[in-house]
Amino acid sequence: MPGEIQYDPARSIWALMTDRATYALGVTPEGFVRHLWWGGRIGSLADLPDPRVPAGRSSQEGGLAAAHEEYPVWGGLRLRETALQATRTDGTRELDARFVAATIAEQSGRPSLTVQLRDAATALVIELSYQLDGARDIITRGVRITNRGDLPVTLERALTAVLYLPRSTAPRTLTTLAGSWAAEAQIQRQPVVPGIIALDARHGLAGHASVPWCAISAREWHQATPPDVGEHGEVYFATLAWSGNWLLRCATTVDGDTSLALGLNDHDFAWTLAGGDTFDLPEVVLGFADDGFDGMRQRIQSHIRAHILPRVAVDAPLPPRPILYNSWEATYFAVDEPGQMRLAEHAAALGIELFVVDDGWFKGRSLDNAGLGDWTPDPAKFPRGLTPLIDHVHHLGMRFGLWVEPEMVNPDSDLYRAHADWVYHFPDRPRSESRNQLVLNLARDDVRDHLLRVLDDLLSRSAIDFIKWDMNRPFSEVGWPAHPELAREIWVRHARAVYSLLDALRARHPRVNFESCASGGGRADLGMLRRTDEVWASDNTRPDARLTIQEGWSFFLPARVVASWVTDAPGWMRRHEYPLAFRFHVAMLGTLGIGGNLLEWDEDEMAAARHWIARYRDLRPVIQDGRQYWLASWQHGWAAVQYLAEIDAQERIALFVFRRDNPFDFALPPVRLRGLDPAATYVVTGEGAPPTRYTGAWLMAHGIDVSLSDGPYASQLIELIRRS
Ligand code: GLA
């Protein structure tokens, strides 16, 4: 169901109804727009309270303190979270936004509501938009601010949403993803107690340290037994579709009033709106699941597939993500034509579909200290240019991909020698280098135009099918000497410029796919996912670390966007041996790739790789677009992940089971599947073994016995097919 918006004109109430949830708001007699409900689907609009400002408990909590406004501006007695703060030229910093009008419409088949508010003194008009994804209980919220006055107004805080949960003093759990380079998306759970929990990014990109996503569940929190990965309970979740500085604040009062604020980070932020100017804030995608974390996963993952990821035409199905090979760990910067051709031949022999040349291919790049900015092939490594290699890769039946890091420049580059003023800097301050590189000032039109020309040229001259777009350092000295008045707008202008470059390149080269990378998974947000086809989830390809990382990402990223490689072991970051099957199984949980040095793989390894690649290709629609269930968390020493999809009228299941070790020689407990039809029969189609039949009821209630070999890092892939 697309969802529907119900309206009660007598009481000025709107209810956004999705299949299993409701989000409601209303206008008070004074014109304040109040939040009324978010949670399970209501039976009738009549159940909702009148939209009145509640009486304060004391003089310390009066006015609009607990009014739960849909878009609380900074002004009056609004004592809690506010979304918008603005200063007029006369120094007044007070806003008072009141309801003007609301419109119900439909945008691309999805019902939407727009609510207009206005602050009379500044003539700022605020348009709140709500777009429904009815089947998935998801709402996308947007905000557009327009200055309809004559005088400029400077925004100093601009969040997209302050969301309110039903008041409750029962313990709640906040789940977030924290991390650092090569350790992304580590699941964090903490009790929501009175006070504020704040997360943010303030260095120019969404970042490794935390992710603009969170979930709040109703479960009790015990440190010793973290809530299971489960299928029960109510989960509220929200994510900000933004790749620049962001903030997320979860605030709770002693009487159980919990709000969740998401938006642009107000740290070092200012944006001046001249008369007539408009400012669009990044969208917040929010959802409610009454069936636990798996329910949340499936809703947001399928929403991303249906409504976020780019496609060539609105209704076009998402094509399968190709199985890729990437040169980085095999050759690092030592890429050249003969070496890459040899690797490509080995990759093609395995069934690889996309061959990607990573860093090192461009002019002057033999280490990380030179070349960024000069996006032409290095004449020493590719004396004939890239075309012979690309042709070779294409003749081998694969697509060709290339690594770039367009937002950056090495001081040792032709670009920097010609345009040292093109980087963020302050005139009399040192320019801090990180990985020997500086950040280009993408707020400048000439820099953006230059990058578009260079990248467009690269894609026009060579038959490139895939770009890995990297970004390897945070911002510093965020200055623009020619335009000091715009300096605090850079944070937003830079992220928008990245979007506009990607949008322009996609429009001109619709067949080219893009991967978002920022030293691994430093920019894996919905803003990037609107214009990239996958993300490089982490530089850490050690398979046991990867399981933790991928479990974290699975809270919102669909498997098809989580690029995952099989690499050599022992190898970089991998002091241990890991069985090749284990490495493949972990990488098969997402979009499978290989990053090992195939020239050194022996015949057995090549044969095993051919086998796993063929199995992945067969299971690809189930894994990349199926429903995902985390049956057991790697945090407990073993993991089980189930994918379920109906392919050509047949229900298919792929079950991956992993075990760290088995020091006591215990059998694994039976793995209980989810989401099956209890009355149906399912057939296990193991390799070599005769098919075994079970009912869905047995597989869900008792589970399937999985025998894993002894020894560390055992794993198994089991397939089931529904027979009746
Ligand atoms: C970053 C990426 C890696 C690789 C290197 C190349 O670290 O995350 O995958 O592309 O850059 O320099």
Side-chain angles (χ1 to χ4, degrees):
M1 293 285 288
E4 92 180 279
I5 296 172
Q6 295 179 6
Y7 174 45
D8 176 352
R11 297 202 302 148
S12 288
I13 289 177
W14 291 263
L16 283 49
M17 311 288 270
T18 59
D19 280 7
R20 282 153 72 170
T22 299
Y23 185 109
L25 47 116
V27 182
T28 70
E30 305 87 347
F32 298 118
V33 180
R34 285 194 65 220
H35 179 79
L36 300 178
W37 173 249
W38 182 27
R41 189 180 158 108
I42 60 168
S44 156
L45 249 64
D47 291 336
L48 291 167
D50 275 341
R52 294 194 182 288
V53 174
R57 263 186 78 245
S58 77
S59 60
Q60 296 288 5
E61 297 159 298
L64 294 164
H68 290 180
E69 282 176 281
E70 272 296 293
Y71 201 68
V73 293
W74 198 73
L77 280 170
R78 292 180 180 86
L79 308 173
R80 297 192 184 158
E81 207 64 90
T82 51
L84 188 71
Q85 184 173 358
T87 303
R88 287 192 312 200
T89 43
D90 67 358
T92 310
R93 305 187 320 283
E94 177 79 3
L95 291 172
D96 182 13
R98 307 276 175 129
F99 177 76
V100 178
T103 323
I104 297 174
E106 203 182 272
Q107 282 170 24
S108 3
R110 295 167 59 192
S112 71
L113 172 71
T114 309
V115 178
Q116 208 181 81
L117 306 164
R118 186 166 182 274
D119 174 64
T122 55
L124 278 187
V125 170
I126 304 161
E127 266 175 8
L128 311 179
S129 64
Y130 303 77
Q131 199 182 8
L132 273 57
D133 179 353
R136 303 179 182 90
D137 303 305
I138 282 179
I139 296 171
T140 303
R141 284 194 56 176
V143 180
R144 166 169 288 184
I145 298 166
T146 306
N147 181 358
R148 294 221 195 279
D150 299 324
L151 295 174
V153 178
T154 299
L155 310 180
E156 281 160 357
R157 178 178 172 89
L159 306 190
T160 302
V162 178
L163 308 170
Y164 306 93
L165 272 64
R167 201 159 71 81
S168 165
T169 49
R172 282 181 161 136
T173 300
L174 176 72
T175 304
T176 59
L177 298 172
S180 62
W181 171 76
E184 291 84 344
Q186 307 289 305
I187 299 170
Q188 309 298 317
R189 301 194 196 259
Q190 56 188 307
V192 175
V193 295
I196 292 173
I197 303 168
L199 305 174
D200 78 350
R202 50 176 67 187
H203 296 291
L205 77 168
H208 291 83
S210 45
V211 172
W213 168 90
C214 79
I216 299 181
S217 50
R219 239 155 226 275
E220 201 152 341
W221 180 81
H222 301 291
Q223 196 158 23
T225 53
D228 85 55
V229 281
E231 53 189 331
H232 303 295
E234 296 184 344
V235 184
Y236 292 82
F237 54 97
T239 179
L240 183 76
W242 185 242
S243 317
N245 291 353
W246 55 269
L247 70 76
L248 187 158
R249 284 157 60 96
C250 174
T252 301
T253 62
V254 279
D255 58 344
D257 201 355
T258 295
S259 68
L260 198 58
L262 297 98
L264 295 176
N265 200 327
D266 52 4
H267 169 80
D268 198 39
F269 164 79
W271 190 281
T272 299
L273 286 174
D277 280 1
T278 282
F279 187 64
D280 286 323
L281 299 183
E283 289 178 340
V284 165
V285 176
L286 56 109
F288 171 79
D290 55 8
D291 46 2
F293 281 88
D294 275 347
M296 171 193 75
R297 252 186 200 104
Q298 290 161 15
R299 281 175 177 79
I300 184 73
Q301 291 183 1
S302 105
H303 175 83
I304 289 173
R305 287 195 298 263
H307 297 296
I308 304 280
L309 291 173
R311 44 210 336 134
V312 278
V314 183
D315 291 326
L318 289 172
R321 292 297 318 139
I323 301 166
L324 73 71
Y325 178 82
N326 180 294
S327 66
W328 177 240
E329 289 202 22
T331 53
Y332 293 104
F333 297 100
V335 296
D336 60 15
E337 188 187 295
Q340 294 299 303
M341 282 189 172
R342 257 199 323 280
L343 269 175
E345 286 151 18
H346 280 63
L350 296 182
I352 295 283
E353 299 160 334
L354 164 65
F355 183 82
V356 183
V357 175
D358 208 281
D359 198 350
W361 61 271
F362 46 96
K363 194 160 163 245
R365 187 72 163 177
S366 46
L367 275 177
D368 66 9
N369 59 356
L372 289 178
D374 299 342
W375 301 109
T376 52
D378 187 86
K381 297 174 177 177
F382 295 94
R384 306 188 291 160
L386 289 176
T387 305
L389 172 61
I390 297 178
D391 286 349
H392 191 58
V393 167
H394 284 160
H395 283 139
L396 290 166
M398 298 182 292
R399 291 185 238 173
F400 179 82
L402 201 60
W403 179 96
V404 290
E405 196 180 353
E407 297 151 77
M408 300 291 160
V409 65
N410 286 120
D412 185 0
S413 66
D414 293 345
L415 183 70
Y416 192 76
R417 283 184 278 275
H419 298 287
D421 57 331
W422 275 14
V423 297
Y424 296 125
H425 68 285
F426 293 108
D428 53 355
R429 303 275 164 186
R431 303 174 182 199
S432 305
E433 292 177 23
S434 182
R435 212 192 192 209
N436 307 302
Q437 61 199 54
L438 298 166
V439 187
L440 288 171
N441 181 347
L442 264 66
R444 290 176 63 132
D445 291 344
D446 50 359
V447 174
R448 227 168 35 244
D449 292 348
H450 166 82
L451 287 178
L452 182 57
R453 205 169 41 248
V454 166
L455 295 169
D456 184 31
D457 241 42
L458 187 65
L459 294 178
S460 306
R461 273 169 212 267
S462 318
I464 295 167
D465 309 290
F466 175 93
I467 289 286
K468 175 174 173 181
W469 183 299
D470 207 341
M471 199 285 195
N472 279 312
R473 63 152 291 178
F475 297 8
S476 61
E477 296 93 25
V478 182
W480 184 359
H483 286 284
E485 78 288 0
L486 297 180
R488 292 199 292 150
E489 298 187 1
I490 284 172
W491 302 109
V492 171
R493 288 180 182 270
H494 186 105
R496 285 184 176 177
V498 171
Y499 292 168
S500 79
L501 284 172
L502 282 163
D503 291 343
L505 292 169
R506 287 200 86 103
R508 292 182 196 187
H509 306 278
R511 287 190 47 262
V512 176
N513 281 193
F514 288 82
E515 179 177 78
S516 171
C517 172
S519 310
R523 204 156 57 178
D525 55 86
L526 271 59
M528 282 310 267
L529 285 182
R530 279 198 196 289
R531 47 232 356 135
T532 54
D533 304 273
E534 63 184 44
V535 299
W536 177 226
S538 178
D539 278 350
N540 193 339
T541 55
R542 176 177 161 148
D544 49 348
R546 262 298 176 131
L547 268 175
T548 312
I549 292 168
Q550 292 175 185
E551 184 177 341
W553 286 130
S554 79
F555 278 152
F556 70 103
L557 294 181
R560 66 158 42 240
V561 312
V562 180
S564 197
W565 311 338
V566 175
T567 52
D568 295 330
W572 178 84
M573 262 240 173
R574 293 173 297 279
R575 285 184 300 279
H576 312 285
E577 266 298 346
Y578 296 90
L580 189 58
F582 188 87
R583 285 180 268 151
F584 262 99
H585 288 155
V586 172
M588 287 165 82
L589 294 177
T591 278
L592 175 63
I594 294 192
N597 188 353
L598 295 178
L599 305 182
E600 288 175 6
W601 286 26
D602 64 27
E603 246 329 296
D604 289 348
E605 288 169 317
M606 291 295 274
R610 266 194 299 278
H611 165 78
W612 291 119
I613 286 172
R615 284 204 67 187
Y616 183 80
R617 197 181 296 115
D618 175 51
L619 282 169
R620 171 160 48 194
V622 183
I623 294 169
Q624 292 191 347
D625 296 323
R627 290 211 298 276
Q628 194 183 86
Y629 303 81
W630 279 74
L631 308 175
S633 167
W634 189 240
Q635 292 171 30
H636 306 310
W638 68 284
V641 189
Q642 174 193 336
Y643 298 84
L644 184 154
E646 200 174 289
I647 311 291
D648 300 330
Q650 178 154 61
E651 196 172 301
R652 293 181 66 186
I653 290 155
L655 172 67
F656 293 88
V657 186
F658 305 90
R659 191 175 209 179
R660 198 188 300 279
D661 209 344
N662 189 12
F664 302 110
D665 198 24
F666 287 151
L668 269 189
V671 180
R672 294 173 65 181
L673 303 192
R674 294 187 190 144
L676 310 186
D677 177 349
T681 302
Y682 292 84
V683 178
V684 181
T685 58
E687 280 155 284
T692 325
R693 293 168 172 269
Y694 299 101
T695 61
W698 176 258
L699 290 170
M700 291 193 290
H702 168 273
I704 185 166
D705 291 308
V706 180
S707 61
L708 287 183
S709 60
D710 274 356
Y713 303 111
S715 62
Q716 212 184 118
L717 163 60
I718 296 164
E719 278 181 67
L720 295 101
I721 292 175
R722 179 180 171 151
R723 275 285 178 250
S724 63

